[in-house]
Amino acid sequence: MRSTPDITLGSWLAKRAQATPEARALTFEGSTITFGEFAQRIDRFAAGLRARGVSNGDRVGYLGLNHPAFFETMFAAARLGAIFVPLNFRLTGPELSFIINDAGVHTLVVDADHRGLIDSVRSDLPVRAYLAVEGALTDGWRSFEEMVGAHEPIELVEPGDPGGVALIMYTSGTTGRPKGAMLTHGNLWWNNTNVLHMMDVLATDVSLVVAPLFHIGGLNVNTLVTWQKGGEVVLLRSFDPGACLEAIPRYGVSSMFGVPAMFLFMSQHPAFDTTDLTSLRMLICGGAPVPEPLIKLYNGRGIPIQQGYGLTETSPAVSFLGPEYSLAKLGSAGRPPMFVEVRIVDAEGDVIEEPDIRGEICTRGPHIMKGYWNRPDATRDAIDEKGWFHTGDVGYLDADGFLFIADRVKDMVISGGENIYPAEVESALYEHPAIAEVAVIGVPDDRWGEAVAAVVALKPGASLTLDELRDFGGRSLARYKLPSHLHIVEVLPRNPAGKVLKYELREHVKRSRTS
């Protein structure tokens, strides 16, 4: 009987450690561990989690800036068949409380900077065990490092299920509530397989990881595939353009993932012109199209920028634009990788065969999520009976099969690579006593790609400033979701069915900004 290889997260990392135990795996703040040492720490922590009652199917969360403990928690959970839940450290206490309750998190690992935030909502959480990364311990917290040191590595691990859920990654919902995308071990493996066919990832690569790991781009565009191939990850707690430029020559960085704003800020840093960037083989960019001047600037330093399009629900790769097409197909998101299908459908769901005709982008393949956690209704809306995932994005394929993103069905705003859903922001702002009605849209921004704009109709006799609106919204929304533009109108334009006509608002805001 033919056996099927175990491609689950915990298994393939362990196999990599067996194959190249002495190879450099992870460098963080000047300290490097090998794959053998990395696997030992993961299995020690897995033993600690098991001793604390974590078992197959339980959810283990992580909240904090980029840190090796993020990876150790994720891989250890996978070794036990548990499900990892990475949490967005930019969210407020109430936002985190909803997600932690929705996921039913059993054990929560938190860094020193965010323990106070969790303490503020602990009475509302279902968590059974709290583990602290760094910092002095306070009531109810146990040391992550002590747990790693207190246990011997787990013994034999049962083969995992590739179709089992590995991660629940939450994305903001258009109804104002986040949805947890269930990504299986197979989803992650096939995404890495696609990436290996799209990019020349080498065992000698050193990948600089600075994008937040709770985001699918930071975690699974270039990070996991580098390890799968046997390369090294250099991890920074957060993005800082000067720190990135210092790390590249110091560690011989060969690849890096980021959003356009990151590469722009690096290019504007005073040290950019004098920094030795010759080790860089490729920059991988997602979240928004890369402006032509930025492509040419890095090309002038001998550094190609490779672009892609993806979503949390697609693990994330849907299409990829190689550097040879970056200028010839400027603005394109590229072609699908080998094991991904993409098609464009009209409003009735019929496939559009002609080139350059806009419709909804749909994709199918082993990269598509299992569904939304606790949301079978949303899952049915997103994935049809034939397995096609409906992205909610509008785009078209040109005559050469290159994908172009034209608009967003869901009116999502992408600012600095972060997805911001207007309905969530609108729901929070509607509670302001001066506001009669509000609509949130994205407006072009030179630095962030898009910025959040609030178009507001006020109650009679009321007044409102942008600072007042941001102060109010900041009580319940993460700062990156807050409007940076405020436009006052008498009434919001609506169609006969009562739907706000956001395209009219965009034109209104555009005129007001240029007048």
Side-chain angles (χ1 to χ4, degrees):
M1 181 178 178
R2 179 183 298 174
S3 62
T4 302
D6 187 349
I7 61 171
T8 56
L9 271 178
S11 175
W12 70 249
L13 193 281
K15 287 182 172 62
R16 167 48 61 193
Q18 291 169 6
T20 54
E22 303 303 323
R24 296 164 63 97
L26 178 60
T27 295
F28 179 71
E29 298 185 346
S31 178
T32 299
I33 59 174
T34 66
F35 278 104
E37 293 166 337
F38 193 24
Q40 278 281 307
R41 286 184 57 83
I42 290 164
D43 281 357
R44 287 179 180 274
F45 187 53
L49 289 176
R50 178 179 283 172
R52 300 286 289 182
V54 175
S55 59
N56 185 69
D58 286 335
R59 275 76 65 200
V60 178
Y62 185 93
L63 176 67
L65 301 175
N66 292 351
H67 191 280
F70 178 103
F71 295 121
E72 291 164 348
T73 303
M74 178 182 70
F75 284 118
R79 295 291 269 170
L80 302 176
I83 300 170
F84 182 57
V85 184
L87 299 167
N88 184 340
F89 55 74
R90 296 183 178 125
L91 299 180
T92 63
E95 290 170 320
L96 288 167
S97 178
F98 171 81
I99 292 173
I100 293 168
N101 275 280
D102 186 64
V105 171
H106 177 288
T107 297
L108 183 61
V109 181
V110 184
D111 74 0
D113 292 335
H114 296 86
R115 288 195 345 241
L117 184 61
I118 291 299
D119 282 336
S120 72
V121 294
R122 272 181 66 169
S123 61
D124 299 325
L125 303 182
V127 177
R128 301 180 208 176
Y130 293 89
L131 300 176
V133 177
E134 302 176 330
L137 297 180
T138 53
D139 290 343
W141 292 89
R142 183 176 179 181
S143 168
F144 176 94
E145 200 60 39
E146 287 180 7
M147 180 179 280
V148 172
H151 294 83
E152 291 300 313
I154 54 172
E155 297 291 336
L156 197 63
V157 177
E158 291 296 319
D161 174 15
V165 178
L167 311 175
I168 303 176
M169 301 195 83
Y170 276 81
T171 64
S172 296
T174 55
T175 59
R177 285 296 192 182
K179 294 179 291 188
M182 296 184 289
L183 300 182
T184 68
H185 294 275
N187 291 154
L188 302 176
W189 175 270
W190 281 103
N191 178 80
N192 289 349
T193 301
N194 281 321
V195 171
L196 284 170
H197 283 84
M198 293 187 301
M199 301 186 301
D200 292 327
V201 183
L202 306 176
T204 54
D205 272 342
V206 177
S207 179
L208 180 60
V209 176
V210 299
L213 292 173
F214 67 78
H215 196 288
I216 191 65
L219 178 62
N220 207 35
V221 168
N222 200 41
T223 307
L224 297 185
V225 73
T226 297
W227 275 334
Q228 198 168 315
K229 191 74 176 183
E232 178 185 358
V233 166
V234 174
L235 183 68
L236 302 187
R237 287 184 191 257
S238 58
F239 171 71
D240 176 85
C244 289
L245 291 172
E246 189 273 334
I248 291 168
R250 179 181 178 184
Y251 298 109
V253 169
S254 56
S255 64
M256 174 184 169
F257 167 80
V259 299
M262 291 180 178
F263 299 131
L264 174 65
F265 297 156
M266 288 170 61
S267 72
Q268 293 172 341
H269 192 276
F272 180 76
D273 289 338
T274 57
T275 298
D276 181 2
L277 303 178
T278 54
S279 63
L280 275 175
R281 290 195 304 110
M282 58 182 172
L283 297 177
I284 305 103
C285 196
V290 184
E292 181 178 0
L294 198 60
I295 295 172
K296 290 182 174 178
L297 177 64
Y298 278 94
N299 284 356
R301 297 288 298 270
I303 305 166
I305 294 183
Q306 309 188 42
Q307 303 175 64
Y309 163 69
L311 306 94
T312 301
E313 293 90 339
T314 60
S315 310
V318 173
S319 64
F320 182 78
L321 186 72
E324 67 273 25
Y325 295 109
S326 61
L327 295 176
K329 294 288 185 180
L330 189 65
S332 172
R335 288 167 165 156
M338 188 173 292
F339 301 107
V340 171
E341 296 178 79
V342 170
R343 69 183 188 183
I344 309 296
V345 302
D346 61 21
E348 287 71 43
D350 295 325
V351 180
I352 299 173
E353 303 287 357
E354 299 83 2
D356 303 326
I357 303 298
R358 297 184 181 189
E360 185 178 15
I361 302 165
C362 297
T363 179
R364 182 171 68 176
H367 62 306
I368 301 299
M369 68 171 181
K370 190 170 187 175
Y372 292 112
W373 179 261
N374 290 334
R375 294 290 303 274
D377 54 336
T379 301
R380 286 191 297 270
D381 289 342
I383 305 173
D384 66 28
E385 65 280 0
K386 293 185 179 180
W388 288 96
F389 174 70
H390 292 247
T391 67
D393 290 331
V394 174
Y396 62 90
L397 295 168
D398 72 6
D400 299 317
F402 285 81
L403 178 65
F404 288 78
I405 315 300
D407 203 347
R408 301 177 182 92
V409 172
K410 301 170 185 174
D411 291 323
M412 182 172 68
V413 179
I414 301 179
S415 182
E418 288 287 353
N419 295 347
I420 302 168
Y421 289 81
E424 181 185 15
V425 182
E426 290 164 357
S427 178
L429 300 184
Y430 258 121
E431 298 182 16
H432 193 287
I435 291 177
E437 54 181 354
V438 57
V440 168
I441 59 174
V443 296
D445 185 271
D446 291 339
R447 301 189 79 188
W448 302 107
E450 283 187 304
V452 177
V455 185
V456 171
L458 297 174
K459 294 178 180 177
S463 62
L464 182 65
T465 67
L466 178 61
D467 287 342
E468 291 169 346
L469 185 66
R470 287 175 59 85
D471 288 344
F472 181 85
R475 301 174 190 176
S476 57
L477 295 171
R479 289 192 61 82
Y480 73 89
K481 300 178 183 178
L482 299 176
S484 53
H485 302 271
L486 172 63
H487 298 269
I488 307 295
V489 297
E490 291 186 5
V491 64
L492 297 183
R494 298 178 183 271
N495 67 13
K499 181 177 176 60
V500 175
L501 300 174
K502 290 196 172 182
Y503 71 90
E504 289 192 10
L505 291 180
R506 292 189 189 99
E507 287 300 316
H508 169 80
V509 170
K510 182 179 179 180
R511 289 194 300 270
S512 65
R513 296 179 76 195
T514 56
S515 60

